[in-house]
Amino acid sequence: MRIATEAAPDATAGWLGHRRIQTKLAIAFGVQLVVLLLVLAAVLQSAAHEKEARQWTLHTHEVIDIEQEAVIAVRDVQVAVRGYTLRANDNDLADLEDAELRAKAALAALGAKVADNPLQVGRVVALEDAFESYVGQNIRPHLARLQQIRAEGG
């Protein structure tokens, strides 16, 4: 009968139980490195999304600013027409021309700013058409009538 001098392997030790300590350390550091790289990738992806979100937010604020310029210019057109109606002052006509040019420029800039969104481009085109219609059908005939009345001595 032969006597075994080596101890029987422990069945509860698992697949890592019989490895050398250097192997265990290498596996532990490798796992930590993989986790670190995954976290780094997630952080970089999050930063890229945050940068894109910030750019869209800035874009939105720029669109709002241009839209406000257009609203102010249209209001200035109305104010100049009222001023000319009340005072018949040529300065009001100059203000009207200036405000009309500013409104057209702001609407054109708005169209250029939203060129990446066909739905918004359609809305800007509709605004430009509505403004042209307002000026052509309301303001110009009104001014022509006022100038005719004043030319006749009224």
Side-chain angles (χ1 to χ4, degrees), residues 5-85:
T5 56
E6 289 185 22
D10 186 7
T12 61
W15 69 273
L16 196 57
H18 301 294
R19 306 270 184 212
R20 296 181 341 178
I21 189 72
Q22 291 87 354
T23 305
K24 292 177 184 179
L25 288 173
I27 291 172
F29 285 126
V31 168
Q32 289 178 353
L33 182 61
V34 168
V35 169
L36 179 65
L37 290 175
L38 290 174
V39 168
L40 180 62
V43 166
L44 290 176
Q45 184 180 19
S46 175
H49 283 114
E50 188 272 333
K51 181 179 179 183
E52 182 180 358
R54 187 177 335 113
Q55 289 172 339
W56 280 113
T57 301
L58 290 174
H59 172 79
T60 299
H61 286 289
E62 290 169 356
V63 168
I64 290 170
D65 290 344
I66 294 170
E67 179 267 338
Q68 286 298 312
E69 289 175 18
V71 168
I72 291 168
V74 170
R75 185 203 60 208
D76 290 347
V77 166
Q78 294 171 338
V79 168
V81 168
R82 287 186 200 123
Y84 185 74
T85 301

